[in-house]
Amino acid sequence: MSSFKPLVFSGVQPTGNLHLGNYLGAIKKFVALQETSECIYCVVDLHSLTAQLVHQDLAEQTRSITAAFLASGIDPMKHIVFNQSRVMQHAELAWIFNCVARIGWMNRMTQFKDKAGKDRENASLGLLAYPSLMAADILVYRATHVPVGEDQKQHLELTRDIAQKFNNDFSPRIADLGVGVEMRIGEETVHGFFPLTEPVIGGPAARIMSLRDGSKKMSKSDPSDLSRINLTDDADTISKKIRKAKTDPAALPSEADGLEGRPEAENLVGIYAGLADVTAEAVLKEFGGRQFSEFKPALADLAVEKLAPIAGEMRRISADQAYVDAVLRDGGERAGAKAEATMKTVREIIGLLGN
Ligand code: AQP
């Protein structure tokens, strides 16, 4: 019996300017994982329709996220970069997963509750089914690892639940066809067609908070531009936003325990640590006892040093639209071949006469 080959998949929605949270929580990890694994990175344009169907500039935003991937260091030749809607097998598998997942599972998703707000009856069905499409994005490649920010943890748990239910419901067919793969779950060894995907979450920057409110995550859709640092912000804008970031009057502590109950301080230390690739403890060792009036300029310098080259590369790559489109087309073809191989077996397992 074979075991799953390590494969990384992740996606970003083309719903606005990428910010430091997207970069530190997700894209920086995408870049690092390229060294050790085969990776597939996707601009999830179908997901972006769940919140807002009509986008004036969906195509432009899809290209812009692609440029951000490339500018950050993702290699589209060695790995795969494409936009989701090019590979229709994502939607096909999502439909099957809609029939595997239970409405109760979807109703419990905190992202659905947050995004639907009080008027749940009026939210799109797509918003409710979002995690099912996300599970399909991952499992259509039978991906084993998914780098994401902490906000996506619950969706990844649901992805595992969907995989496990599919594996259980169809276990006799999977065995008959001999398409099962061996997996360890705790002490047990089980066989299934879909892997139980592992999230890659963690480090000091797994959840970057708003610069204006340490209790809210940094988000593309926050109405205040001062709440986030966009990857395209220039040096002056980055410095201004960090200068204006909300803080408390106390000096920085020397130990991580001292950040408890100080969400804004904890956030700025986490950002510094994420950008410098060190732990929060190491940042506090250097800056413990210092005031924010000293720490903020150091953080601004570091942010500019790390982000300015990416912004410059993004501008250069974005100017060559034909190149960006060619990357997406080529990536879509390669992703499509892999996705179709999975779907052929899925259709056979279920008994759909589509092959
Ligand atoms: N604040 C954050 N800290 C760490 N990671 C984050 N991510 C998003 N915000 C933070 C991670 O970025 C990846 C891509 O996110 P997405 O655009 O697909 O979806 P999102 O989580 O909905 O992003 P936003 O910025 O919050 O958009 P809106 O405002 O539209 O909801 C994911 O891996 C995510 O975890």
Side-chain angles (χ1 to χ4, degrees):
M1 176 80 53
S2 56
S3 56
F4 286 102
K5 189 170 158 254
L7 179 77
V8 171
F9 176 92
S10 197
V12 174
Q13 295 189 74
T15 43
N17 275 333
L18 283 181
H19 52 72
L20 193 59
N22 300 130
Y23 178 67
L24 292 178
I27 297 174
K28 198 159 178 269
K29 289 191 208 138
F30 298 0
V31 176
L33 284 163
Q34 295 183 112
E35 300 305 319
T36 51
S37 309
E38 183 184 344
C39 303
I40 303 179
Y41 295 128
C42 185
V43 185
V44 286
D45 46 8
L46 293 175
H47 275 287
S48 73
L49 307 181
T50 60
Q52 187 193 345
L53 182 60
V54 182
H55 283 258
Q56 292 290 60
D57 42 10
L58 181 57
E60 265 327 294
Q61 290 198 350
T62 300
R63 292 188 181 107
S64 161
I65 304 287
T66 309
F69 282 177
L70 305 179
S72 303
I74 291 169
D75 182 342
M77 306 294 283
K78 290 202 187 124
H79 302 275
I80 293 181
V81 173
F82 74 109
N83 60 305
Q84 185 187 28
S85 59
R86 255 173 224 278
V87 179
M88 64 198 177
Q89 288 83 354
H90 288 234
E92 183 185 359
L93 187 57
W95 178 256
I96 291 164
F97 286 169
N98 283 345
C99 303
V100 173
R102 311 286 91 185
I103 292 176
W105 300 2
M106 300 295 167
N107 272 329
R108 281 195 285 278
M109 294 295 109
T110 53
Q111 181 172 295
F112 173 67
K113 290 188 212 164
D114 289 349
K115 294 207 168 178
K118 289 204 173 71
D119 194 7
R120 258 198 225 184
E121 290 289 305
N122 206 24
S124 74
L125 187 54
L127 190 66
L128 182 67
Y130 182 113
S132 176
L133 179 57
M134 179 165 161
D137 297 337
I138 296 163
L139 294 175
V140 82
Y141 303 102
R142 300 165 91 199
T144 55
H145 294 86
V146 180
V148 278
E150 211 170 67
D151 58 320
Q152 293 299 323
K153 193 169 173 221
Q154 197 186 29
H155 286 165
L156 283 169
E157 283 161 7
L158 191 89
T159 299
R160 290 167 67 95
D161 291 343
I162 290 175
Q164 198 154 19
K165 183 160 168 24
F166 183 97
N167 289 342
N168 288 343
D169 290 353
F170 290 102
S171 70
R173 275 299 280 167
I174 293 169
D176 281 354
L177 292 167
V179 292
V181 173
E182 201 167 84
M183 285 174 275
R184 292 285 295 168
I185 303 179
E187 296 298 290
E188 238 185 309
T189 300
V190 297
H191 300 129
F193 180 68
F194 288 119
L196 302 186
T197 307
E198 298 283 343
V200 184
I201 304 176
R207 188 172 179 83
I208 299 295
M209 309 309 280
S210 156
L211 298 179
R212 306 301 298 162
D213 178 351
S215 68
K216 275 177 28 192
K217 80 163 186 151
M218 186 176 284
S219 160
K220 295 180 203 123
S221 54
D222 192 313
S224 166
D225 194 53
L226 283 177
S227 70
R228 63 183 159 262
I229 292 173
N230 301 306
L231 285 194
T232 47
D233 283 344
D234 62 24
D236 287 349
T237 310
I238 292 174
S239 301
K240 184 182 85 183
K241 287 179 175 176
I242 291 175
R243 207 169 51 242
K244 286 183 175 276
K246 189 176 164 201
T247 45
D248 55 45
L252 281 170
S254 307
E255 309 277 338
D257 289 355
L259 290 171
E260 234 167 82
R262 300 179 63 188
E264 284 85 13
E266 188 177 8
N267 190 36
L268 294 187
V269 169
I271 292 174
Y272 193 105
L275 286 168
D277 266 328
V278 296
T279 60
E281 285 77 12
V283 178
L284 294 176
K285 211 163 170 204
E286 189 179 347
F287 290 97
R290 307 234 217 134
Q291 297 294 332
F292 282 103
S293 54
E294 278 180 84
F295 180 62
K296 281 180 168 181
L299 176 58
D301 286 350
L302 179 65
V304 170
E305 178 197 322
K306 298 287 179 181
L307 300 182
I310 298 175
E313 250 324 78
M314 265 181 84
R315 274 193 299 278
R316 190 187 67 77
I317 293 168
S318 294
D320 191 350
Q321 189 179 305
Y323 168 66
V324 174
D325 288 352
V327 165
L328 293 174
R329 208 166 31 245
D330 171 64
E333 276 168 24
R334 289 189 285 140
K338 286 177 183 290
E340 180 53 19
T342 303
M343 286 314 296
K344 271 203 158 69
T345 310
V346 169
R347 289 181 210 117
E348 241 186 296
I349 291 171
I350 297 178
L352 296 166
L353 297 177
N355 290 330

